[in-house]
Every structure is written in structure tokens, then in C-alpha cells.
Amino acid sequence: MKRILVPTDFSQHAEYALKVAAQIAKKNDGEIFLLHMLELPHEGNDAQVHGREIPEIMYFKKRAEEKLDEVSNASYLEGVEVSEIIKLESAFSGIIDISKKNNIDLIVMGSHGANGFKEMIIGSNTEKVVRTSDIPVLVIKKETNDFSVNKFVFASDFSDEVSKTFENAVEFSNKFGAHLHLVSINTPNNFKSTAVAEKIMSDFVSKFKIDNFTTHIYNDVNVEKGILNFANSIDADLIGMSTHGRRGLAHFFNGSISEDLVNHSVRPVVTFKI
């Protein structure tokens, strides 16, 4: 996690994400790429008169540069190398493009909490980033002055399909020296006996070199509530989940985990693409 991308719209919640990114960068001797997507409103026909566009673009670009400079000089970024980037492009394609061009290891984004996260994620550019990014995406919900991950929950069906995702989760966990809580959620619609669930998890984990972990089986009415309630029960610092790209957020357990999990979680969530 040496190269961290933080998209910003200069909102308070974007700053929360940047503060966490700064802490991660300091612990890993990393650098931050601070990105602002300059999406200008278009009026009328797409074929606009360039002579009228240029002054407007230059004005907004100059204002964005001033704001980026101001943010980059924040005291919590002292000692961290920060590269400022402004892209005149749609937010989704710009974030993905910049992350690839700069070999980014982690994308850190802010959200507005329960209702705001839903507004921000569903049908939005952020949802596309979370869903399609090949790079882990860490979503921050609130201001965190001391971002530490001691208890990291990773929920899965522990099928072979999530093996690569699991490797990334283990690496992420090791970076923080976290204890990895692997949880299988048992639901009425997809019930497994304890013996069967334990064997599935044991067989899966045996394929990896991992020491600091515990396996859990948690019963609940559905997967979303199960993950959330389990994370609450152990006071987890972070929830990890897999994504299936264009097939939606965290598509496992033979179905799609609804946005309710991340909407209602006050805890940070990190996603890894399968």
C-alpha cells in the first residue's frame, strides 16, 4: 500500500478518507495521489463553441488547483509525498484510468454514512469504481484520527472462486498486523450444518499460509444482516468483502449482497474484486 489514490470533491467526507490515507501512507512509507475530477456542466448541443468554453474551463481548473494546494498543505499530510492530479473527465473513467496509469495499490474514498452512502453508491460513479476496480477500494464513513485494524472481518462462502480475493485480503490484513476473522453466514435459505460449514472453511484455509485468524459460523436471517451483526458483535475495525465486477456488489453466497450492508455499516469497508 505504497501508492494510494484518493479522489476528492473537497467535501468533509472526502477529507475523512484523505486523513485515513495519510495514516496508511505514513505507516507504509507510501505516497498519495490526490485526484479531483473536473466535470463541467454542459448546456445544449455537445458541439459547443470552444472560444466560450476555454475561459470557463480555465477558471474551474484554476479554482481546483487552488483547492488541491490548500488540501495538500494540511498538517495531517506533513511528511507524506502528495501528487496533485486534475482530470477533465467523468469521475468513474478518470479514477479507473488514473489508478492504472499510476500503478495504484489502494483507492480510499469517503462516504456520507448510511443514507449518504446509498445516495453516493447506487447508480453512481462510486458504485462503478467499487464494483469494477481491480484495485482494493477502502470506503471510510467517518472521521478517524487513529486508523488501526486489529479485528478484520472477511465474510465469504469460501469457494474456490474467491481464492485470489482471499490472498489479497490476507495481504491487506498482514499489512496492519490484524487478526483475521473469517466468517461464514448461515441463513434459512442456504443452511449448512456446523460440521459441513466448518469443513468447507477448513479445506479452504488449508490452501493458504495464514496464522493470525479465527473461523466463525454465524446464523442470521440473511447474509447482509449476518455480516453486519457479526462485525458488531466483535466490535470489528474493518469489514472485507468480494465483488464480482459488473455482476454487482459482493456477489457471493449464490446471490448478490445488497447495498444495505455498506449503507448501514458505520465501520470501514474494503472491497476486493474477484
Side-chain angles (χ1 to χ4, degrees):
M1 292 180 287
K2 289 187 174 293
R3 301 171 70 83
I4 304 169
L5 178 65
V6 183
T8 182
D9 57 0
F10 306 115
S11 67
Q12 185 179 51
H13 290 83
E15 184 177 26
Y16 294 163
L18 184 57
K19 286 182 176 179
V20 168
Q23 294 175 58
I24 295 173
K26 289 178 181 179
K27 291 177 181 177
N28 293 276
D29 192 26
E31 59 180 312
I32 290 175
F33 294 78
L34 187 59
L35 171 66
H36 178 67
M37 304 308 304
L38 196 58
E39 295 185 273
L40 299 178
H42 295 289
E43 298 180 1
N45 197 302
D46 286 340
Q48 298 180 11
V49 180
H50 290 290
R52 190 183 62 168
E53 283 184 359
I54 292 175
E56 181 184 24
I57 292 173
M58 294 305 295
Y59 169 78
F60 283 111
K61 186 172 184 293
K62 185 174 185 344
R63 290 287 295 135
E65 288 173 347
E66 291 172 352
K67 288 185 177 181
L68 278 180
D69 285 341
E70 182 179 342
V71 171
S72 296
N73 288 319
S75 59
Y76 57 82
L77 285 169
E78 186 175 350
V80 179
E81 181 179 346
V82 179
S83 297
E84 300 174 11
I85 304 173
I86 296 176
K87 286 279 287 184
L88 186 62
E89 192 175 345
S90 69
F92 162 62
S93 59
I95 291 170
I96 297 298
D97 181 53
I98 289 296
S99 65
K100 290 179 178 178
K101 286 184 177 179
N102 290 277
N103 298 315
I104 297 300
D105 301 313
L106 177 68
I107 300 173
V108 183
M109 305 183 76
S111 82
H112 297 275
N115 294 330
F117 189 72
K118 184 172 183 179
E119 293 168 5
M120 179 180 177
I121 261 254
I122 303 307
S124 70
N125 289 315
T126 304
E127 186 230 14
K128 295 176 185 177
V129 173
V130 170
R131 194 192 324 151
T132 63
S133 174
D134 293 327
I135 298 158
V137 181
L138 174 62
V139 180
I140 301 300
K141 305 296 187 70
K142 59 184 180 180
E143 186 165 23
T144 307
N145 293 321
D146 181 17
F147 183 75
S148 58
V149 183
N150 297 312
K151 300 175 183 178
F152 179 19
V153 170
F154 184 80
S156 175
D157 61 356
F158 301 100
S159 63
D160 290 339
E161 186 181 28
V162 300
S163 292
K164 182 60 179 177
T165 298
F166 185 68
E167 289 179 359
N168 293 334
V170 171
E171 181 182 359
F172 192 90
S173 180
N174 290 339
K175 290 285 187 182
F176 288 96
H179 185 89
L180 194 56
H181 291 265
L182 309 177
V183 60
S184 175
I185 306 299
N186 231 353
T187 67
N189 292 331
N190 190 24
F191 179 81
K192 297 182 182 70
S193 68
T194 298
V196 169
E198 285 179 344
K199 187 175 189 311
I200 290 173
M201 297 181 76
S202 176
D203 289 347
F204 181 87
V205 173
S206 67
K207 303 172 187 177
F208 303 90
K209 292 182 178 180
I210 171 175
D211 298 316
N212 193 14
F213 75 100
T214 308
T215 59
H216 309 265
I217 299 166
Y218 194 86
N219 301 322
D220 216 319
V221 294
N222 59 49
V223 174
E224 297 85 7
K225 288 185 178 179
I227 297 173
L228 187 59
N229 288 334
F230 174 75
N232 289 340
S233 73
I234 67 167
D235 194 21
D237 301 301
L238 179 68
I239 298 173
M241 53 198 291
S242 303
T243 63
H244 263 273
R246 296 186 183 279
R247 283 184 282 170
L249 280 170
H251 185 285
F252 53 86
F253 292 95
N254 298 319
S256 295
I257 288 189
S258 76
E259 66 274 7
D260 287 345
L261 173 64
V262 285
N263 290 344
H264 298 146
S265 174
V266 297
R267 305 174 194 280
V269 175
V270 62
T271 60
F272 306 91
K273 184 182 175 183
I274 292 177

